[in-house]
Amino acid sequence: MKLYDVDGWADIPAILDYCERQGCFTIFLIGGRGTGKTYGALSYVLDTQTPFMYMRRTQAQADMVSRPEFSPFKSINDDRDIYIGSVAVSKYSAGFYHMEQDSDDKWKPVGAPLGYSCALSTISNMRGFDASNVRLLVYDEFIPERHERPIKNEAAALFNAYETINRNREMKGQKPLVMLCLSNANDLANPVFMELGLVDKVERMRQKGRSEYIDRKRGCAVILLTDSPISHAKRETALYRLTAGTQFADMALANDFTQDHPINIVSKDLKQYRPLCSVGEITIYKHKSAQEYYVSIHRSGSPRTYDATPYGCAQFRREQSWLSIAYLEGRLYFESYSCQKYLTNYLKTV
């Protein structure tokens, strides 16, 4: 698979073409900072005249990119000596247009919009919006940075956003909407990967040095730009000499997820354990002869069960509060990193 163009930037046309030939219409592309993900995606829609939706997580971010100085098209405008600007079309959305100056030297949109912008957090307010001509959803920075506020039911919000734009086009014999999700490697256990069960698959990709994961049955692809020539070239720039060896540099250059450090990830024989309780997707087991515990995605027996709802998790934390101590004492073992993340989320220890 061709990941980079002759200059070392992410080759978005080649990536999209490859994924479509594999039957994948949802693509997660994760790479270091400044590797050409957004620039390449927006260059692609211009070159191919593909109607698009450019989405950010929050309305504040979507509003910000509507300003000329923060426009995702700013570098493209400079490089091509054009001006693609943004004009509000509703309270929650703006259109991207070719702009020209009128006789008063004011910039005015010309022709139909090339695409639109929106925010994941408010797209539910746009359900009457006709996006039937949109062919590509570019969801930029889909993995939130640690300091960003979470969006309630974030993965479900993304799936609903896709439904809002895609509608029933497949029922009419049309191709489905292509969703290209772009991000830096901020958090492996992000809401979308957790919901789709991709955390452990991407962790194995990272460990084995693989750059692609294709799930043809679900029409999903994950691409990691782990060997970006641009990232290698940036190592000697001022910021990355300053931050060498930090988590920031690992994320920005090595495409290494700034995740919690996986601990006690092992494979255990469940015959040596008895089930204690289940919560959400995981079951906690106790060793039959030792004071140690194992967290697995597999459920057996008839243990006390808690729903992964706010009320169910509150019950779980109250009745199984000893698990926090066992976790901190290193007496908890996990079948996978996602099991660790599920438990810490339910216990709210992170």
Side-chain angles (χ1 to χ4, degrees):
M1 178 181 181
K2 186 172 180 285
L3 295 179
Y4 309 102
D5 64 18
V6 294
D7 296 315
W9 304 104
D11 194 331
I12 300 299
I15 291 170
L16 289 175
D17 177 68
Y18 174 81
C19 290
E20 184 172 356
R21 285 188 283 108
Q22 302 303 313
C24 296
F25 292 90
T26 298
I27 304 138
F28 299 99
L29 178 62
I30 300 169
R33 288 195 167 185
T35 50
K37 302 183 296 297
T38 304
Y39 186 103
L42 296 182
S43 294
Y44 170 84
V45 298
L46 289 183
D47 294 339
T48 59
Q49 299 183 359
T50 300
F52 67 96
M53 180 72 78
Y54 177 79
M55 186 165 72
R56 297 295 299 267
R57 289 184 68 251
T58 69
Q59 189 62 48
Q61 292 169 339
D63 291 341
M64 183 74 74
V65 300
S66 294
R67 297 170 59 179
E69 58 269 34
F70 297 107
S71 171
F73 283 98
K74 187 176 186 305
S75 294
I76 295 174
N77 288 340
D78 293 341
D79 291 344
R80 300 191 182 195
D81 194 24
I82 58 176
Y83 182 27
I84 295 171
S86 180
V87 178
V89 295
S90 75
K91 182 178 179 180
Y92 302 107
S93 180
F96 291 107
Y97 296 83
H98 282 292
M99 308 288 280
E100 292 182 357
Q101 284 181 300
D102 61 16
S103 57
D104 296 323
D105 290 334
K106 293 182 179 180
W107 290 100
K108 300 290 184 181
V110 177
L114 306 172
Y116 304 92
S117 66
C118 69
L120 178 66
S121 61
T122 56
I123 195 172
S124 61
N125 298 315
M126 297 170 53
R127 285 182 178 165
F129 179 77
D130 181 10
S132 58
N133 68 321
V134 172
R135 293 290 176 262
L136 177 65
L137 169 60
V138 179
Y139 183 19
D140 209 359
E141 305 296 347
F142 80 94
I143 302 178
E145 296 182 8
R146 291 298 181 90
H147 64 269
E148 291 186 59
R149 290 184 179 181
I151 296 173
K152 187 177 181 180
N153 299 322
E154 187 160 338
L158 177 60
F159 307 149
N160 280 318
Y162 185 95
E163 174 65 17
T164 296
I165 300 171
N166 190 57
R167 294 295 187 186
N168 295 322
R169 61 183 72 186
E170 292 166 85
M171 307 298 290
K172 300 174 183 178
Q174 302 173 13
K175 288 185 177 180
L177 173 74
V178 177
M179 180 164 64
L180 177 62
C181 301
L182 311 173
S183 185
N184 304 317
N186 292 318
D187 184 10
L188 173 59
N190 62 79
V192 177
F193 280 7
M194 289 289 286
E195 183 69 19
L196 292 176
L198 291 173
V199 174
D200 297 327
K201 292 179 174 61
V202 178
E203 174 67 6
R204 285 193 290 272
M205 287 176 64
R206 190 187 65 81
Q207 291 174 349
K208 296 180 179 181
R210 293 178 178 173
S211 59
E212 67 179 81
Y213 166 77
I214 301 292
D215 185 338
R216 294 181 180 84
K217 182 177 181 180
R218 294 205 292 177
C220 168
V222 180
I223 310 297
L224 302 181
L225 301 177
T226 51
D227 297 314
S228 167
I230 301 301
S231 292
H232 286 296
K234 291 175 70 173
R235 290 184 183 277
E236 295 306 314
T237 59
L239 176 61
Y240 297 106
R241 285 189 287 114
L242 172 67
T243 58
T246 66
Q247 278 195 342
F248 174 82
D250 288 342
M251 173 276 294
L253 296 180
N255 207 29
D256 195 7
F257 290 92
T258 56
Q259 63 200 56
D260 302 306
H261 183 63
I263 60 170
N264 294 347
I265 309 296
V266 294
S267 178
K268 297 279 190 177
D269 181 5
L270 287 180
K271 294 178 181 179
Q272 303 299 316
Y273 293 79
R274 60 181 178 84
L276 286 180
C277 61
S278 293
V279 54
E281 298 82 356
I282 57 175
T283 298
I284 296 99
Y285 295 81
K286 184 185 183 302
H287 197 277
K288 292 178 179 178
S289 60
Q291 289 298 312
E292 69 175 46
Y293 305 88
Y294 188 53
V295 182
S296 172
I297 207 76
H298 302 287
R299 183 173 299 184
S300 62
S302 302
R304 172 77 164 94
T305 301
Y306 305 89
D307 294 328
T309 61
Y311 179 75
C313 289
Q315 282 186 309
F316 172 70
R317 289 192 297 272
R318 179 182 177 85
E319 297 177 9
Q320 311 293 340
S321 58
W322 58 271
L323 277 167
S324 295
I325 298 173
Y327 177 68
L328 294 174
E329 290 178 348
R331 293 186 288 117
L332 270 174
Y333 295 85
F334 302 92
E335 183 179 50
S336 64
Y337 175 58
S338 63
C339 287
Q340 178 188 338
K341 192 65 179 181
Y342 280 128
L343 182 68
T344 54
N345 282 346
Y346 297 145
L347 291 174
K348 295 194 180 298
T349 57
V350 293

